[in-house]
Amino acid sequence: MWILVPNTLDQRVSLGLQPVSVNRHVWTETATAAVWKGSLGSGFDYQLLWGRGDSSNESGVDSEQDEGWDGADNFAINLNKRYSPNLSAGLFYLYQMNDQIAEGIGTVNSREYELKSIADNSKYSVSSFGVEMDYGQETSLGRMFVKGTVIGQSGTIEGVNFVPLNGATNPNTNYDLSTFLGRGELGLQFGPNQLTYTVLYASGDGNEQDGDFDAFIATDVDFSDSMIFQENMTSDDYFAETPYILDKGYFMNKLQLDHKVAANITVSGMIVYNRLAEDIALADGSSSKDLGLEFGSKVSYFPYPSLELSAEAAYLASGDAMDALEETALQDGKSDQDIVHVAGRVRYKF
């Protein structure tokens, strides 16, 4: 439901189930929320938000003692300004709180390292602060652009026990959160082409036994920088939806070329070096951060604006860190298998 604030068309309030976006690295989903958007003087746009997310209880059933993620409160403010036709910048602050401790201790594991999962039977207070910028400039080669995002997180998470990938026991049930994420994009648009270099670093946790969470944590997001590790066209069959891998963070370097064959056909090719921010322990006693080098391509065709026909393929020359994700019988400290991914879809938007 949308409401125009009296006396101005520059202020809108929306209530109920709706798309919510504070920052695409932290929280973007459909959620129950109250959102106030508008414009201030001097060219500032703002968003004020209170929201609750979708429940993800491990049991699948809410109770009065344990309402899960849908019992968490989330408060956010976004400020953005276009300083010139070439430069825009903004900042956001997101405060999230939950008090759902029931009998016993909740759990969170390395594979489900998201705040929406921790919310089940927990108490937390988490702050995320970020700044963003987007700069573009015409040059003799084409339009050059630079984009950047920096986010810091802090807070506490109580009433849960962390279970690392190797299953080792963590004796703690209360954790201090201190993390950061940085992302930069440098690109050039020339003719029907766009060449983009992207670097992303999300902090990871190097000690699975202490009372600190040093790994950046998202609430609910949908990332597809890598077709191998993140969401892809077969969106029910992917390893992660987050800008990090497990609780070990992510250090990604990606070079992508997009070429418009026609106004409604785009072909893309990419090379992605996938690396963890922190070492992961391997079966032979060694450790590694190297997930491998990924080669990918995709094509998108829009016969009509609302109809998309797409296909993609990717190949991962696996690094040794992939050994930790293999079946136990195959783990020997070295990666045994490369990965091939091929997918296609037909999508119609109403």
Side-chain angles (χ1 to χ4, degrees):
M1 178 176 67
W2 289 91
I3 301 173
L4 293 179
V5 179
N7 300 324
T8 177
L9 297 179
D10 291 332
Q11 319 291 324
R12 290 175 179 266
V13 176
S14 56
L15 305 172
L17 190 65
Q18 60 187 294
V20 167
S21 180
V22 175
N23 179 273
R24 69 190 188 105
H25 299 88
V26 182
W27 189 27
T28 300
E29 66 159 330
T30 299
T32 302
V35 181
W36 188 317
K37 292 183 179 181
S39 297
L40 302 172
S42 303
F44 279 97
D45 295 324
Y46 72 89
Q47 171 182 274
L48 300 175
L49 177 147
W50 167 85
R52 285 188 167 178
D54 186 18
S55 175
S56 60
N57 287 337
E58 295 176 4
S59 64
V61 179
D62 286 343
S63 67
E64 292 182 0
Q65 293 80 20
D66 181 13
E67 296 178 358
W69 169 224
D70 54 2
D73 288 298
N74 306 269
F75 305 91
I77 179 171
N78 292 72
L79 289 174
N80 297 280
K81 181 177 180 180
R82 178 162 291 281
Y83 292 91
S84 72
N86 295 332
L87 176 64
S88 62
L91 58 85
F92 76 89
Y93 175 72
L94 171 64
Y95 176 68
Q96 299 173 279
M97 59 180 293
N98 189 42
D99 190 359
Q100 302 295 333
I101 294 181
E103 296 180 2
I105 298 297
T107 61
V108 59
N109 63 63
S110 189
R111 292 184 183 272
E112 298 175 346
Y113 187 70
E114 291 180 276
L115 202 61
K116 68 179 181 181
S117 298
I118 291 178
D120 186 28
N121 192 24
S122 70
K123 178 179 180 180
Y124 62 74
S125 173
V126 174
S127 293
S128 300
F129 177 77
V131 295
E132 299 178 284
M133 62 83 65
D134 187 341
Y135 175 77
Q137 178 68 54
E138 293 293 340
T139 70
S140 59
L141 297 177
R143 182 169 180 80
M144 180 270 293
F145 61 87
V146 179
K147 301 178 182 181
T149 301
V150 178
I151 303 171
Q153 292 180 321
S154 62
T156 57
I157 298 174
E158 305 174 38
V160 297
N161 181 247
F162 177 68
V163 181
L165 185 66
N166 60 15
T169 301
N170 185 309
N172 303 286
T173 56
N174 297 327
Y175 303 87
D176 292 322
L177 182 73
S178 181
T179 81
F180 68 94
L181 176 145
R183 181 189 185 94
E185 296 181 26
L186 174 63
L188 182 68
Q189 293 176 329
F190 53 103
N193 308 295
Q194 177 172 300
L195 181 65
T196 308
Y197 169 66
T198 304
V199 59
L200 181 144
Y201 185 90
S203 64
D205 200 310
N207 188 340
E208 300 168 333
Q209 302 300 311
D210 66 8
D212 295 324
F213 278 157
D214 299 319
F216 187 84
I217 188 166
T219 300
D220 195 343
V221 292
D222 300 284
F223 261 81
S224 56
D225 282 319
S226 164
M227 284 183 275
I228 297 294
F229 290 102
Q230 296 167 325
E231 284 199 12
N232 47 62
M233 290 183 182
T234 54
S235 60
D236 289 333
D237 185 20
Y238 54 82
F239 184 79
E241 62 181 6
T242 54
Y244 51 84
I245 308 298
L246 305 171
D247 61 312
K248 296 303 180 183
Y250 197 25
F251 183 27
M252 181 200 73
N253 288 266
K254 178 180 181 180
L255 186 65
Q256 178 168 329
L257 177 64
D258 301 302
H259 173 69
K260 276 192 170 295
V261 179
N264 59 348
I265 303 175
T266 301
V267 178
S268 302
M270 64 202 70
I271 301 175
V272 188
Y273 180 44
N274 298 287
R275 188 174 177 86
L276 298 172
E278 296 289 342
D279 285 318
I280 192 167
L282 304 180
D284 65 349
S286 65
S287 62
S288 178
K289 299 177 183 177
D290 183 18
L291 293 171
L293 189 62
E294 176 182 346
F295 303 89
S297 64
K298 62 175 63 175
V299 57
S300 297
Y301 170 50
F302 289 84
Y304 306 101
S306 57
L307 178 63
E308 176 191 7
L309 309 177
S310 299
E312 65 182 12
Y315 172 81
L316 178 73
S318 296
D320 286 341
M322 292 294 291
D323 182 65
L325 304 178
E326 295 175 357
E327 295 181 9
T328 303
L330 298 177
Q331 293 183 12
D332 56 5
K334 300 292 182 182
S335 174
D336 296 310
Q337 294 289 334
D338 293 340
I339 297 176
V340 176
H341 164 79
V342 179
R345 72 180 174 201
V346 177
R347 182 166 64 177
Y348 183 80
K349 291 185 177 181
F350 296 92

